[in-house]
Amino acid sequence: MFRQPERLRCEYDAVIIGAGGHGLAAAYYLARDYGMTRVAVLDRGWLGGGNTGRNTAIVRANYLTPEGVRFYQESLRLFRELSEELEYNLFYTERGHLTLAHTESTLRTMRWRAEVNKHLGVESEVVRPDELARICPWLDLQCGGHVPVVGALYHPPGAIVRHDAVAWAYARGADQLGVEIHQRTPVTGIRVREGRVEGVETARGFVRAQRVLAAVAGYTPRIMQMVGLRTPIVIQPLQACVTEPLKPWLDQIVVSANLHLYVSQSTRGELVMGAALDPYVLHSERSTLDFVESLADHLLDLFPFLGGVKVTRQWAGMSDMTPDFSPIMGKTPIEGFYLDTGWGTWGFKATPVCGTTLAYTLAHDRPHPLIEPFGLARFEQYALVGEKGAASVGH
Ligand code: PYC
């Protein structure tokens, strides 16, 4: 798929820390759109081994804030063309995304989201239970008698994509344009002099670069310590699991805002499922039995006929959570040092738009207009982008 360069050069135009989807996409668009090919992507582990390979592959744009909707709308647009652009089948399939509401107050947030979405040209509408039963006849709308479904936000363009293929395809595309990808190359320090980045220390020696982008999700606090900057990010685990493969029966992506559950059926037939964040700070990719038990409990409220289906795999990722549930992207107080973080539970769906907007930001040394609202400075300026009602699994 891509070369494995033996030699790490002592200087590049840009170093990107993190060979996940975001870092690779930024490298690809830096080379494609700005001719910047002396770029090294460094990773302490392997390509796509972090949250790119640990998410549940959902893509959508039905956010709550205008800033969020515009940003993810562009991501959806890029995702639709991505298989063709990268000449790699990413199995992008539009399924329709349903966020179920089990209370009237949750439904109020859905109405708000639908209005913001429609205003900005994103297809979204609130549907009542009779319409919901037509769209997804498998749902038990009475929810086993516990918390009946009172309506849903329906977002027809919601899709799923083969997540690790996105990383492979960006890696191949970037490599073909001359970018170097160095796996198993931990960054151990970042050299800053008089407020300007000079390069990165690695386990394989010092690498000089005038531009350094950190796209490392759950490892962000460690990287920030290296440059002496603070962010309000905390790391919480997000877990997921899959079942044995079943014949295709579930077309839609179904999310319950109140049961904190989401489920879709992959092209291989597995049910891919997850829940809300674990409610504690933990820098670990450990998964738990508690998670599968409570998720199964809620899943059976919605789809009681799944009682005999076996869970075959489970995993966890480290989510880099911000107080306003929006990402942190762009420039920092250190000249030449850029951030792509704060991806919490919503990072995969932003992969292509992170690539284009960060490439622009590094090339021009000014934030792309789409990411201007997501700068680190917003926490000092009290200019938060409150996305909690739509960014995560459910509230
Ligand atoms: O934001 O769509 C989402 C999502 C799905 C799983 C975790 N977050």
Side-chain angles (χ1 to χ4, degrees), residues 180-203:
E180 290 179 18
I181 300 163
H182 293 272
Q183 302 179 95
R184 301 199 181 283
T185 306
V187 168
T188 52
I190 298 178
R191 229 185 256 179
V192 177
R193 209 170 127 128
E194 292 174 3
R196 184 161 229 310
V197 81
E198 285 192 330
V200 299
E201 313 277 0
T202 80

Side-chain angles (χ1 to χ4, degrees), residues 56 58 60 262 345 349 391 393:
T56 44
I58 297 170
R60 63 185 173 90
Y262 56 91
T345 68
K349 57 186 64 53
V393 177

Side-chain angles (χ1 to χ4, degrees), residues 141-190:
L141 296 176
Q142 290 311 309
C143 224
H146 300 311
V147 272
V149 177
V150 294
L153 182 68
Y154 182 42
H155 174 49
I160 54 176
V161 197
R162 180 74 200 280
H163 55 351
D164 29 32
V166 172
W168 302 334
Y170 270 125
R172 186 179 69 165
D175 173 73
Q176 284 168 350
L177 294 171
V179 168
E180 290 179 18
I181 300 163
H182 293 272
Q183 302 179 95
R184 301 199 181 283
T185 306
V187 168
T188 52
I190 298 178

Side-chain angles (χ1 to χ4, degrees), residues 329-331 338 357 360-361 364-373:
M329 297 179 76
K331 289 175 59 119
Y338 305 88
T357 56
Y360 174 103
T361 304
H364 295 94
D365 194 32
R366 64 165 188 274
H368 185 285
L370 273 179
I371 67 168
E372 237 164 310

